[in-house]
Amino acid sequence: METIVYNTKGTCATRITFERHDDNTIHNIRFEGGCNGNLKAVSKLCEGMTGEQIASKLLGNICGSKNTSCADQLARAVTGK
């Protein structure tokens, strides 16, 4: 298991922390900042998924007029993009 800390770019959340297990599943996703309720829901929905599964659902999601979102940043974090 590896704990990863990802500093976001262009979002209200400033940091995402999660664990990547040996089977590439993602666990214990935590956002710092951002919309608390929404990001708790994103974390729960993505718990136990692989990085590829998360990216296939969330990569490219935007927030308002921004070209990214907290969900998009999570997808980038779990795929290393």
Side-chain angles (χ1 to χ4, degrees), residues 23-34:
D23 60 357
N24 196 35
T25 56
I26 306 299
H27 299 272
N28 299 317
I29 303 165
R30 294 176 304 281
F31 289 84
E32 290 182 30

Side-chain angles (χ1 to χ4, degrees), residues 11-45:
T11 61
C12 298
T14 56
R15 182 175 295 144
I16 305 168
T17 305
F18 59 92
E19 297 171 357
R20 181 187 316 274
H21 289 227
D22 293 337
D23 60 357
N24 196 35
T25 56
I26 306 299
H27 299 272
N28 299 317
I29 303 165
R30 294 176 304 281
F31 289 84
E32 290 182 30
C35 302
N36 187 29
N38 288 334
L39 295 176
K40 283 180 182 175
V42 168
S43 298
K44 286 180 181 181
L45 291 169

Side-chain angles (χ1 to χ4, degrees), residues 35-79:
C35 302
N36 187 29
N38 288 334
L39 295 176
K40 283 180 182 175
V42 168
S43 298
K44 286 180 181 181
L45 291 169
C46 293
E47 176 67 22
M49 296 175 104
T50 66
E52 292 78 17
Q53 289 171 321
I54 293 170
S56 73
K57 294 187 179 300
L58 301 179
L59 194 62
N61 187 65
I62 61 170
C63 180
S65 61
K66 299 175 185 177
N67 62 356
T68 190
S69 68
C70 295
D72 178 64
Q73 290 292 297
L74 174 59
R76 293 170 187 270
V78 298
T79 58

